[in-house]
Amino acid sequence: MVSPESGRGGHARGLGRARDPREGQPFFSQQDTVLRWKMALWARQVSRWCCLLQTARAAEFPRRLRSCSSTVQACRGFAPLPLLPSRNDILPWRFQAYGHVSVGSCSPPDSAKDGSFSSPESNLPSPVKQEQAKAETLPDLNTKILCEDWDDIPPSSALEEISEEAAVQIIAEPLLPLQSSTLRDYVDHSETLAKLVHLGVDLSQVEKRQKAGQLLLTLDFEKDVRKILLFLKDVGVEDNQLGPFLTKNPYILAEDLEALETRVAYLKSKKFGKAEIAQMVSRAPYLLLFSVERLDNRLGFFKNELGLSVKKTKDLVIRLPRLLTGKLEPVKENLQVCQIELGFQRNEIQQIVFKTPKILTASKKRLKQTFDYLHNIMGIPHHMLTRFPQVFNSKLLRIKERHMFLTFLGRAQYDPAQPSYISLDQLVSLPDEVFCTEIAKASIQDFEKFLKTL
């Protein structure tokens, strides 16, 4: 049978407590006493931190902070248990530091017997007092003053009445339209559009192009536009041509800079000079939107289809660079018209195209009407048309008026073997005054009177 003493002794060993043989009541050991003092110190410190945190939160919500003092007082008695130190944090303390504490008795201090009560902090050991003194130096917010300052600020209201003078001084920003059919409504709100207008870009023309307006509104000038402008200047586009260039091709602003540089490098590899590349890019703004593969296929097409040399192919696209960017179907059709319907030989077509590249993109109807009048009415043979293919670029009405005036004067002679020969170049290229005085040997008034009779 286990004795009560042994049972109590075992229980004391399990809880870390001993029994006082004089009073028969259990008392705390020195370690437990230190632990309780330390816990009390931490609880007081944590409660002070909670008070400061509560005050800081109250600063964000001034309308809710009406009883700051009561909140602070209630907070002082609150000590969250999870923040209390564990017993392991107290173990490093030495018993020698508390030699003056009575181990054998838990009786109240003498001050309590005399009728005067001292605070628990006065009975703490000196190291604990020192830490408590450090904690006391923390700044404390004057919540009463803060509450008074916050209460002085009147709440803002949309219905608050203001004076006429104050109302006149209010500057209302123009509202950004949610939807518009013109870019003009967005210029004041977009730095990109404003700077493009300053460069000379015609936004009224840009907005006519498919999705071009939406593209410009999504671009950032410093991030997206500036690098493209610097690239175009490096290629050779003049400053005064940047605006017209972007008006015709705003889509280049969305192209990858590395891809653009690769296409320029390809043209240089085909022996195009810098000035020639600049001329081609300026005259055909969409040229740099074509990939290297498409540019290579276009150059190969004209070389093989027309039977031209590499040098003549380069000269052809330099003089008319939109051949590389336009559709190929009209070119193929015009070549067939010249060969089948107009009756030109392959070598004659090569000479006509090389001298007048625009014939490849001309209207088929106009081309056939001009040839019919020159060949069947005026009697110009194929070899003469091959020597002066510029006549196909002239207006048919101009050719008719001058030929009829020369026929009226009896000077319509287009055979180089006959006297008073008139070349096709002189017939269509000279101004009216020069044509009348040098070719027709008449005055401009006579020519105008003749035109009225038609």
Side-chain angles (χ1 to χ4, degrees):
M1 182 175 230
V2 181
S3 62
E5 290 79 8
S6 62
R8 287 191 294 268
H11 181 69
R13 286 191 301 269
L15 297 179
R17 296 188 298 177
R19 178 175 297 278
D20 189 352
R22 296 175 296 174
E23 300 178 358
Q25 298 295 332
F27 66 94
F28 289 93
S29 64
Q30 186 176 8
Q31 293 182 353
D32 291 337
T33 303
V34 173
L35 176 61
R36 291 173 64 87
W37 286 337
K38 191 65 174 180
M39 291 173 64
L41 174 63
W42 275 88
R44 181 177 178 85
Q45 187 66 26
V46 169
S47 66
R48 189 175 299 274
W49 291 339
C50 292
C51 178
L52 294 176
L53 178 60
Q54 185 71 15
T55 304
R57 290 182 176 179
E60 299 176 359
F61 305 94
R63 294 184 180 179
R64 298 182 181 180
L65 191 57
R66 290 293 181 267
S67 56
C68 297
S69 300
S70 60
T71 303
V72 173
Q73 294 296 334
C75 184
R76 293 184 184 274
F78 175 74
L81 291 179
L83 297 178
L84 295 179
S86 62
R87 183 169 181 174
N88 295 331
D89 298 334
I90 314 301
L91 292 180
W93 290 83
R94 294 292 183 265
F95 294 116
Q96 290 80 359
Y98 314 105
H100 63 280
V101 180
S102 175
V103 180
S105 176
C106 289
S107 59
D110 297 335
S111 58
K113 296 178 182 180
D114 297 337
S116 63
F117 180 76
S118 61
S119 62
E121 289 84 348
S122 61
N123 296 329
L124 294 177
S126 57
V128 180
K129 291 183 178 180
Q130 293 177 1
E131 292 201 4
Q132 182 178 355
K134 294 180 180 179
E136 293 292 343
T137 60
L138 293 176
D140 192 6
L141 296 176
N142 194 335
T143 56
K144 184 176 180 180
I145 297 178
L146 291 177
C147 293
E148 292 177 356
D149 293 340
W150 291 331
D151 291 337
D152 292 339
I153 301 176
S156 58
S157 175
L159 303 178
E160 181 181 357
E161 295 183 1
I162 59 176
S163 62
E164 294 184 1
E165 293 77 6
V168 172
Q169 295 178 358
I170 297 177
I171 301 176
E173 294 291 337
L175 296 177
L176 181 66
L178 299 178
Q179 186 176 2
S180 178
S181 60
T182 176
L183 290 174
R184 180 180 56 188
D185 296 335
Y186 299 95
V187 173
D188 294 335
H189 305 274
S190 173
E191 178 187 5
T192 300
L193 293 181
K195 290 187 176 181
L196 289 177
V197 171
H198 184 70
L199 284 174
V201 178
D202 189 352
L203 297 182
S204 64
Q205 297 298 322
V206 172
E207 62 192 17
K208 296 178 182 179
R209 307 184 184 277
Q210 186 177 8
K211 297 183 179 180
Q214 294 88 329
L215 171 64
L216 295 185
L217 289 175
T218 59
L219 297 178
D220 180 82
F221 187 86
E222 297 297 331
K223 181 180 178 182
D224 304 319
V225 179
R226 181 181 294 275
K227 61 182 180 181
I228 302 299
L229 295 177
L230 294 177
F231 164 77
L232 292 175
K233 292 186 63 175
D234 291 339
V235 170
V237 180
E238 300 293 336
D239 293 345
N240 58 353
Q241 292 298 320
L242 289 175
F245 182 92
L246 294 178
T247 300
K248 297 177 181 178
N249 181 20
Y251 306 105
I252 196 173
L253 297 176
E255 287 291 310
D256 182 67
L257 183 59
E258 184 176 355
L260 296 175
E261 293 174 346
T262 302
R263 295 160 193 171
V264 174
Y266 167 78
L267 294 176
K268 292 180 179 179
S269 67
K270 293 299 181 180
K271 308 303 181 182
F272 288 95
K274 184 175 181 180
E276 296 171 344
I277 294 176
Q279 178 182 346
M280 293 169 62
V281 171
S282 299
R283 297 178 61 185
Y286 285 97
L287 179 63
L288 294 180
L289 296 185
F290 283 68
S291 64
V292 172
E293 292 76 10
R294 294 185 67 181
L295 292 175
D296 190 68
N297 291 336
R298 290 297 179 93
L299 290 174
F301 168 81
F302 290 107
K303 180 179 180 300
N304 299 328
E305 195 73 16
L306 298 175
L308 300 176
S309 62
V310 175
K311 185 179 183 303
K312 287 188 175 182
T313 303
K314 286 176 50 182
D315 294 340
L316 178 69
V317 297
I318 289 173
R319 291 159 58 193
L320 192 64
R322 69 169 182 263
L323 289 175
L324 297 176
T325 61
K327 297 181 179 180
L328 294 180
E329 286 74 13
V331 175
K332 295 178 181 179
E333 293 176 357
N334 285 359
L335 290 176
Q336 292 179 355
V337 168
C338 291
Q339 186 173 0
I340 298 174
E341 299 186 30
L342 305 186
F344 287 100
Q345 300 298 321
R346 181 177 176 82
N347 61 335
E348 293 176 338
I349 295 176
Q350 290 178 354
Q351 296 181 41
I352 292 174
V353 170
F354 183 73
K355 292 179 180 180
T356 312
K358 288 184 179 180
I359 199 172
L360 293 174
T361 58
S363 170
K364 292 185 299 180
K365 180 180 179 181
R366 175 186 170 188
L367 185 62
K368 290 187 290 185
Q369 290 177 347
T370 302
F371 174 81
D372 180 70
Y373 191 85
L374 290 170
H375 183 68
N376 298 324
I377 303 300
M378 297 175 59
I380 308 298
H382 283 81
H383 70 275
M384 291 294 296
L385 296 175
T386 304
R387 288 181 57 187
F388 302 101
Q390 298 88 347
V391 71
F392 288 103
N393 291 334
S394 301
K395 294 181 179 181
L396 181 58
L397 179 60
R398 189 176 194 180
I399 296 174
K400 289 181 177 181
E401 291 175 347
R402 293 189 177 189
H403 171 69
M404 294 175 66
F405 184 60
L406 291 175
T407 303
F408 174 76
L409 297 175
R411 301 182 63 84
Q413 180 56 256
Y414 307 109
D415 186 0
Q418 300 297 327
S420 303
Y421 161 71
I422 299 175
S423 67
L424 296 179
D425 184 35
Q426 293 175 335
L427 177 69
V428 298
S429 62
L430 295 177
D432 288 342
E433 295 81 0
V434 179
F435 168 77
C436 292
T437 56
E438 295 185 5
I439 304 300
K441 306 299 182 180
S443 64
I444 186 64
Q445 291 79 12
D446 295 337
F447 182 57
E448 292 175 351
K449 288 179 182 179
F450 174 79
L451 294 179
K452 292 179 181 180
T453 61
L454 298 179

